Amino acid sequence: MYKIFLYDGTFEGFMCAAFHIISEGIDKDRAIIVSKNEYQPMFIDSVREVQNDFKTFLEMRKGIIEKADSSVFKKIYYAFLSDTKDKEGYILRYLFFVFEHGKKIKYLYSDDIVNAVEKMAKNVSREIGKYMGLMRFCETDKGFLYAKFEPKNDIIKPIAYFFKNRLNEFYWAIHDVKRNKVAIYDRKKVQFLTCDNLKLKVTHQDEMFQMLWKNYFKAVAIEERKNLKLQQQNMPKRYWKYLLEKN
Amino acid sequence: MDVLEKLEVLGAAAKYDVSCASSGSKREKHFGIGSTFSAGICHSWTDDGRCISLLKILFTNECIFDCAYCINRKSNDIKRATFTPQEVAELTINFYKRNYIEGLFLSSAIKNSPDWTMEMLYKTIWLLRYKYQFNGYIHVKAIPYASLDLIRKTGFLADRMSVNIELPSEKSLRLLCPNKTKESILKPMEFITKVAEEEKNFVSAGQSTQMIIGATDDSDYKIINLSQHLYKKFKLKRVYYSAYTPVNHDPRILKVESPPLLREHRLYQADWLIRVYNFSADELFNGKDENLDLEVDPKVMWALRNLDKFPIEINKASYEELIRVPGIGIKSARRIIKNRVFHSLDFEDLKKMGVVLKRAKYFITCNGKTFERFLIDLEPEKIKQKLTDKNSLQRPQQLSFFDREVFTSVITGEI
Ligand code: SF4
């Protein structure tokens, strides 16, 4: 029989569930952590809903950083944002490893779990890196900048915090169209909301800059060096949908 | 002429300037718009596969000089345009806030006089920094013959400055750039190095330069030797190499059908070796007039010439020895050192650490064993044959050698 732990879908909630499993000495191969809205009840399971308690989360975070270091914690966070199926299972096992091996976990390349989590984190971090550059904002009639994207992984949070630092003097919104999530920044703080229908119009001036950019993009390519394959390797097609210069 | 047309002319005119780096700035930020990101960010990739990070434009393409290889030279009959500082500043800010770009790369032809041109560049970035409170990355050219005082003022506002060295020897410079002298280039370069050493917040992402490859008969040895000198003496952050694209027909220029991209690529590899892997130019070449081997990368070439230093034992070799093995990069060398403390390593472990066994296997042992039996006794010529990048040679000016592995190696320097 499996012990099912339901959490609220957030990273903090997940860490609280992991905390209970680890601190109560529950067998990791019998424990499953599932997001509340993805769980399909099976009557033979024992189900427990875990509260998202920020203090517990902080304790877990402190524990991980003390046992390993903050880069390992960041890795766990990034892996959690991955769209990999059963990411919770991988990360839970990884957490057991962290508490067992500490810093050494960074060098256990040959372990499958470690490898899987490394891969998930790397994939997420690469996507964040790409979108830092490939996000395109436009100026709307409502007076704020607006960008939409459809990332593979759930990365709106780290992306929004990156732009909070960069576009700190502007009002802006970033919209994950696939997940109906919006990050809104009011020159003070970022807020995360859900939303599916935004009616916005692009300003006339913005259209001018879009055209300037597209023209510039064309003008700087060197014909003698043309290499569309390389272009696509660096900027895979799935990023093109909202990329001005590619439409 | 409207801004749209100017941008087209002056963007196209700047495209041969290869340096795209937007990384490494440590300028302190206080308030205002934007940030620099120390790792650098690409915002798009052009149809030729190069990263667009900065809005790279010329302030003007009207030139009083007449350099043989340059599309903007005085004697060419082309469309000319000149921005105003205001126009450049507004483009930069508006592109930046839409996240099209990471910052500005402002270069220029020399209009009216070197001082007039430098003054315009200074005014432009002054506007950006003070009127628009722009904190993003700015790379600006220092113009040969411009007053050092102007260059100094500009350097305090820029993240990076560069003076193009253009050609690898004085002889070539005299031949192709009748208006420029060695001093007109080295003097501002030296000056920037000096001020950067003395003052805080002066070109905090350092100085770079650029050299044209293939328009003259200068050998690769001469080029890499010069780069080594520039890194040591002027503390340059990077030297960029630009395979010459034949834009002018001029009898003084070597005849090139298309840009020598493979040669450019090998030069970047050799550059990494002297900059990051502690090789010296003399070690990489046999003689003074030698060119790099196009068939294999320069590290393989060096190893084949020094087979008596191999094989090395992975579980004993020092870090310095490890990074000299073809197929072992800085990262995998570090991993090897960290991991062999726990247990002795075999070839499987090496693979997982990112060692490219295809190349490394001829030069290493793990616990005394070679990868395959009899592997190490091979003749240098035979090894070379096996390691020849065949794709690149069949279509030397084609795209194939820019395959992923090779291209990332340019960026990360893992060779
Ligand atoms: S000074 Fe610069 S822009 Fe003018 S011709 Fe020479 S290389 Fe070209």
Side-chain angles (χ1 to χ4, degrees):
Chain A
M1 199 176 83
Y2 287 106
K3 294 199 161 111
I4 309 283
F5 290 80
L6 297 181
Y7 76 109
D8 61 358
T10 67
F11 179 58
E12 292 79 7
F14 167 78
M15 290 296 253
C16 292
F19 174 84
H20 286 294
I21 294 168
I22 294 169
S23 64
E24 289 167 27
I26 294 168
D27 179 1
K28 65 177 184 303
D29 296 319
R30 299 252 135 235
I32 295 179
I33 306 179
V34 200
S35 167
K36 245 188 315 203
N37 31 21
E38 271 162 37
Y39 175 63
Q40 279 145 9
M42 292 222 273
F43 70 102
I44 53 161
D45 297 334
S46 91
V47 181
R48 190 165 134 194
E49 192 169 333
V50 182
Q51 290 309 312
N52 178 345
D53 169 43
F54 200 61
K55 254 172 62 203
T56 310
F57 164 72
L58 288 181
E59 208 170 305
M60 265 303 264
R61 192 177 79 165
K62 201 169 137 234
I64 293 167
I65 293 174
E66 271 170 11
K67 256 299 195 184
D69 58 30
S70 54
S71 77
V72 168
F73 179 77
K74 190 173 168 194
K75 203 168 276 170
I76 294 168
Y77 174 53
Y78 275 13
F80 180 81
L81 301 179
S82 155
D83 74 335
T84 308
K85 243 184 101 197
D86 194 30
K87 59 183 182 193
E88 291 94 343
Y90 287 112
I91 301 174
L92 178 64
R93 281 168 184 73
Y94 185 83
L95 281 170
F96 270 92
F97 271 164
V98 171
F99 287 108
E100 197 179 321
H101 298 293
K103 262 196 186 47
K104 235 170 84 185
I105 192 155
K106 292 207 252 178
Y107 310 117
L108 297 172
Y109 301 109
S110 36
D111 184 89
D112 289 341
I113 297 286
V114 175
N115 231 320
V117 170
E118 291 268 347
K119 241 199 215 136
M120 285 150 65
K122 215 186 225 156
N123 189 286
V124 167
S125 129
R126 189 174 308 134
E127 195 180 30
I128 293 171
K130 286 280 180 201
Y131 273 117
M132 282 166 149
L134 295 176
M135 202 72 97
R136 295 288 175 262
F137 287 84
C138 59
E139 213 170 46
T140 64
D141 57 347
K142 300 277 189 304
F144 61 84
L145 296 166
Y146 171 74
K148 52 185 167 185
F149 70 149
E150 290 181 30
K152 205 158 110 319
N153 305 296
D154 192 5
I155 54 174
I156 194 165
K157 269 196 180 165
I159 284 289
Y161 285 115
F162 170 75
F163 283 106
K164 179 181 179 228
N165 182 30
R166 170 145 300 194
L167 300 177
N168 54 334
E169 295 279 310
F170 302 94
Y171 294 89
W172 51 253
I174 293 172
H175 188 179
D176 179 341
V177 181
K178 199 161 105 190
R179 296 178 182 76
N180 296 330
K181 290 186 179 177
V182 201
I184 292 175
Y185 175 70
D186 60 4
R187 297 184 60 181
K188 282 188 206 79
K189 58 184 190 317
V190 185
Q191 267 178 302
F192 297 91
L193 311 164
T194 49
C195 116
D196 36 26
N197 201 357
L198 275 174
K199 283 215 173 59
L200 296 166
K201 254 185 37 210
V202 177
T203 61
H204 180 65
Q205 202 194 346
D206 197 77
E207 280 167 5
M208 190 186 79
F209 281 107
Q210 291 187 20
M211 198 162 71
L212 281 166
W213 171 245
K214 283 188 189 182
N215 266 308
Y216 174 75
F217 179 78
K218 263 193 239 128
V220 292
I222 298 178
E223 186 55 35
E224 292 88 337
R225 282 177 177 249
K226 196 160 183 163
N227 192 343
L228 293 172
K229 209 174 113 201
L230 180 61
Q231 179 189 44
Q232 225 186 97
Q233 269 169 15
N234 286 317
M235 194 163 69
K237 276 208 168 119
R238 64 189 175 89
Y239 294 101
W240 292 8
K241 190 163 174 189
Y242 302 109
L243 205 61
L244 285 177
E245 60 269 31
K246 275 287 167 193
N247 287 303
Chain B
M1 199 186 275
D2 65 1
V3 177
L4 185 69
E5 206 179 342
K6 283 188 189 177
L7 183 59
E8 239 172 72
V9 174
L10 296 168
K15 71 185 170 188
Y16 301 109
D17 210 311
V18 281
S19 45
C20 77
S22 62
S23 59
S25 186
K26 293 181 286 283
R27 201 162 31 79
E28 287 160 35
K29 171 178 176 163
H30 301 293
F31 54 90
I33 295 169
S35 59
T36 58
F37 190 68
S38 67
I41 298 175
C42 287
H43 285 254
S44 196
W45 280 267
T46 59
D47 284 356
D48 54 44
R50 289 173 312 152
C51 146
I52 301 182
S53 176
L54 306 171
L55 171 61
K56 192 188 290 179
I57 46 176
L58 298 191
F59 185 82
T60 177
N61 67 343
E62 287 183 57
C63 201
I64 53 173
F65 284 179
D66 206 35
C67 307
Y69 53 82
C70 177
I71 183 110
N72 304 315
R73 63 178 177 175
K74 189 166 111 195
S75 55
N76 276 6
D77 181 20
I78 53 163
K79 200 188 225 177
R80 306 281 176 173
T82 302
F83 277 124
T84 65
Q86 183 74 21
E87 282 168 344
V88 175
E90 270 178 22
L91 271 175
T92 307
I93 283 288
N94 275 292
F95 277 14
Y96 187 85
K97 76 177 197 196
R98 288 167 175 78
N99 204 40
Y100 301 166
I101 54 165
E102 197 63 14
L104 175 67
F105 182 135
L106 189 58
S107 181
S108 186
I110 303 174
K111 184 178 171 177
N112 298 336
S113 73
D115 273 351
W116 182 88
T117 311
M118 199 64 226
E119 177 90 45
M120 284 299 134
L121 302 188
Y122 169 70
K123 269 198 182 138
T124 307
I125 63 175
W126 188 92
L127 270 183
L128 269 167
R129 292 290 192 222
Y130 288 107
K131 184 168 166 205
Y132 292 92
Q133 312 279 344
F134 179 65
N135 275 316
Y137 191 91
I138 296 181
H139 178 164
V140 65
K141 289 270 175 216
I143 304 291
Y145 298 110
S147 92
L148 295 182
D149 194 44
L150 268 172
I151 291 177
R152 185 187 166 89
K153 271 169 33 189
T154 312
F156 279 108
L157 300 175
D159 293 277
R160 171 167 286 188
M161 259 183 139
S162 58
V163 191
N164 281 0
I165 194 129
E166 312 285 19
L167 294 163
S169 70
E170 209 178 344
K171 185 185 115 226
S172 303
L173 195 67
R174 224 177 292 131
L175 182 69
L176 300 187
C177 301
N179 312 96
K180 287 183 195 157
T181 59
K182 192 174 139 203
E183 284 69 42
S184 71
I185 293 166
L186 293 186
K187 208 171 113 199
M189 200 180 258
E190 197 168 15
F191 176 73
I192 293 167
T193 308
K194 199 178 121 245
V195 183
E197 267 171 5
E198 290 164 358
E199 307 271 354
K200 239 180 109 197
N201 278 333
F202 181 85
V203 292
S204 72
Q207 188 182 186
S208 64
T209 192
Q210 158 169 221
M211 221 185 285
I212 296 164
I213 304 307
T216 57
D217 61 3
D218 300 288
S219 70
D220 290 348
Y221 173 78
K222 226 183 232 163
I223 294 168
I224 291 299
N225 207 29
L226 173 61
S227 297
Q228 179 173 288
H229 188 70
L230 292 171
Y231 288 130
K232 277 211 187 100
K233 178 144 188 245
F234 296 110
K235 314 258 166 11
L236 293 198
K237 279 278 169 351
R238 287 295 301 271
V239 175
Y240 291 93
Y241 308 93
S242 169
Y244 182 60
T245 307
V247 288
N248 297 336
H249 294 287
D250 190 303
R252 289 169 293 174
I253 299 175
L254 277 196
K255 239 185 141 50
V256 266
E257 296 299 322
S258 52
L261 295 178
L262 184 55
R263 183 175 175 204
E264 175 191 287
H265 175 61
R266 292 281 180 245
L267 282 166
Y268 273 114
Q269 290 181 316
D271 183 275
W272 273 102
L273 291 180
I274 58 165
R275 201 155 41 88
V276 187
Y277 287 76
N278 278 326
F279 279 88
S280 71
D282 284 322
E283 281 178 298
L284 293 180
F285 293 87
N286 248 340
K288 300 259 171 253
D289 280 319
E290 212 199 11
N291 284 315
L292 292 167
D293 200 311
L294 291 182
E295 293 182 4
V296 290
D297 74 56
K299 201 182 187 185
V300 169
M301 208 50 233
W302 173 82
L304 292 178
R305 251 194 248 121
N306 292 278
L307 272 185
D308 57 309
K309 296 194 171 72
F310 297 101
I312 65 152
E313 169 55 43
I314 287 293
N315 289 296
K316 294 212 185 77
S318 67
Y319 173 76
E320 285 73 24
E321 287 169 321
L322 286 172
I323 56 172
R324 292 194 158 215
V325 177
I328 299 184
I330 299 280
K331 233 193 204 153
S332 33
R334 285 203 189 121
R335 286 179 169 175
I336 289 170
I337 301 268
K338 274 191 181 148
N339 267 267
R340 67 184 185 190
V341 182
F342 300 123
H343 61 94
S344 83
L345 307 174
D346 57 26
F347 287 98
E348 256 320 289
D349 295 322
L350 293 186
K351 227 189 250 169
K352 280 182 186 139
M353 289 169 199
V355 172
V356 187
L357 284 179
K358 201 184 114 205
R359 287 201 290 275
K361 64 182 179 185
Y362 302 100
F363 308 101
I364 53 172
T365 57
C366 282
N367 303 311
K369 284 199 221 68
T370 57
F371 187 64
E372 290 151 10
R373 273 173 82 204
F374 312 124
L375 190 62
I376 303 283
D377 304 324
L378 285 178
E379 302 280 310
E381 268 313 309
K382 279 200 187 126
I383 302 179
K384 188 176 167 188
Q385 239 174 38
K386 296 231 155 84
L387 293 182
T388 295
D389 195 351
K390 296 202 184 60
N391 272 341
S392 69
L393 290 171
Q394 277 155 13
R395 295 182 293 158
Q397 306 303 352
Q398 272 293 336
L399 330 164
S400 54
F401 72 86
F402 259 148
D403 66 42
R404 196 177 194 93
E405 187 198 339
V406 180
F407 190 72
T408 32
S409 89
V410 176
I411 295 167
T412 59
E414 303 278 336
I415 45 180

